[in-house]
Amino acid sequence: MKSLTEHLSQYAGYHRDRRNIRTHLIGIPLIVIAIATLLARPHWGAISPALIVAVGCCLFYVRLNWRLGLVMTALLLLACALGWQLALLSTPLWLGWGVGLFVVGWLFQFVGHYFEGKKPAFIDDVTGLIIGPLFVVAELGFYLGCLKKLKNDIESEAGPLH
C-alpha cells in the first residue's frame, strides 16, 4: 500500500496552481456532501449506503495516518449527518440538493483544472477520488502552519506551488 506522502504527492502533481487548490477547497467538500446526501437513502435505522461508504473511507484514511484519519472521520460523519438531514426532505428537494451540490462541486473542480492546465488526477488513477478530500484537509493544515514535514515532502516530489 502506498504511504500518505506517496498518495498526496501523486495527487499534488495535478494540483500545483494555487487557484486550482482554492477551487478544490470549495468543490471537493460540496461533492462529498452531495454523495453523502444522495447515498443517505435508503436507510435502515442509522445505517445507510452513505455511512457504509464513509466508514470504508475512514478506515483507509486512518490506516494512512491516524491523526489525519481522525480529522477525516469527523468531517465525513458531519457530511453524513448533513446528508441525512437533506434526505429527510421530499424526494424532489432531496434530489435537487444532492444533484445540485454534485454539479456545482464538479464545476469548481473543472474551473480549477482549467487554471492548472492539467486533467483531474482521477482520470489517470481512480484513487484520486478518495485522496481528493484528504488533499483538501492536508492543504488546510498547510495553510494553518501544521504538517510542515508532510508539506516539504510533497513539494520535494510534486514541486512548489505557483
Side-chain angles (χ1 to χ4, degrees):
M1 182 169 144
K2 288 182 186 177
S3 70
L4 173 68
T5 302
E6 289 169 328
H7 276 296
L8 289 176
S9 295
Q10 180 179 350
Y11 191 87
Y14 294 82
H15 305 87
R16 303 319 302 148
D17 186 294
R18 283 182 171 82
R19 296 169 298 176
N20 189 19
I21 292 172
R22 285 186 206 117
T23 63
H24 281 54
L25 294 175
I26 298 167
I28 288 178
L30 291 178
I31 293 166
V32 169
I33 293 167
I35 291 169
T37 299
L38 294 169
L39 293 179
R41 286 188 186 181
H43 60 86
W44 310 274
I47 307 297
S48 69
L51 185 61
I52 294 167
V53 169
V55 168
C57 291
C58 292
L59 292 172
F60 174 76
Y61 296 138
V62 167
R63 189 169 173 208
L64 283 177
N65 179 285
W66 71 271
R67 286 185 177 114
L68 282 173
L70 290 178
V71 172
M72 292 303 301
T73 298
L75 293 172
L76 287 176
L77 290 177
L78 185 62
C80 284
L82 181 54
W84 177 270
Q85 290 301 309
L86 291 171
L88 294 175
L89 299 172
S90 67
T91 299
L93 284 174
W94 161 68
L95 283 174
W97 275 103
V99 171
L101 289 169
F102 191 80
V103 169
V104 171
W106 278 107
L107 285 173
F108 272 94
Q109 298 296 91
F110 288 119
V111 167
H113 282 284
Y114 172 79
F115 292 140
E116 184 82 40
K118 292 182 183 175
K119 60 189 170 187
F122 77 89
I123 300 292
D124 291 331
D125 185 357
V126 74
T127 60
L129 294 172
I130 195 171
I131 296 301
L134 183 62
F135 176 80
V136 165
V137 169
E139 285 293 327
L140 287 172
F142 301 159
Y143 177 76
L144 295 172
C146 305
L147 309 168
K148 290 178 183 175
K149 181 180 179 340
L150 180 60
K151 180 181 180 183
N152 291 336
D153 291 346
I154 290 169
E155 286 185 352
S156 70
E157 288 292 318
L161 294 177
H162 56 272

